Amino acid sequence: MAGYTPMMEQYLDIKSKYKDCLLFFRLGDFYELFFDDAKTTSKELGLTLTGKSCGVPERAPMCGVPFHSADSYISKLISKGYKVAICEQTENPKFAKTLLNVML
């Protein structure tokens, strides 16, 4: 994971434990998906695929959904046969001085 930002290292560490799932990673008001998860979710749900600077020269493919409407997106993915893991923030990002604690 050399060169990745601390946030992306955290994401990759968690994703390594849930390789068979699409990982919805909470960042503020959105659940973000990265790399192959983003490509798959973008295609399956018709979402825009963008990119995020992640500390290495190539931007990480990314897509996301608002947290308040994530249930409908997750339900669609599950109905298509995908497994979904949800990584939730456990502290308010307004007050965090380092990476946020997460809960799966």
Side-chain angles (χ1 to χ4, degrees):
M1 290 193 276
Y4 285 107
T5 63
M7 185 279 303
M8 193 56 70
E9 285 181 3
Q10 184 181 39
Y11 168 85
L12 290 168
D13 179 55
I14 294 166
K15 177 63 182 169
S16 73
K17 297 171 184 147
Y18 297 91
K19 292 178 184 177
D20 64 335
C21 298
L22 299 172
L23 179 60
F24 276 58
F25 190 77
R26 179 80 179 265
L27 292 172
D29 291 338
F30 285 82
Y31 286 109
E32 304 289 357
L33 297 99
F34 299 99
F35 302 107
D36 287 341
D37 287 1
K39 292 176 185 177
T40 298
T41 302
S42 172
K43 179 182 169 196
E44 292 292 342
L45 300 179
L47 300 174
T48 300
L49 184 65
T50 63
K52 181 172 183 70
S53 178
C54 60
V56 296
E58 190 172 319
R59 292 170 58 85
M62 178 185 86
C63 72
V65 299
F67 82 95
H68 59 78
S69 60
D71 288 349
S72 65
Y73 293 102
I74 292 168
S75 293
K76 288 177 187 175
L77 290 167
I78 291 171
S79 72
K80 291 178 180 237
Y82 292 97
K83 293 181 181 179
V84 174
I86 300 170
C87 181
E88 187 63 70
Q89 295 174 339
T90 59
E91 59 188 297
N92 187 327
K94 292 179 184 176
F95 303 111
K97 294 187 182 4
T98 61
L99 286 178
L100 298 176
N101 293 321
V102 295
M103 172 183 69
L104 292 167

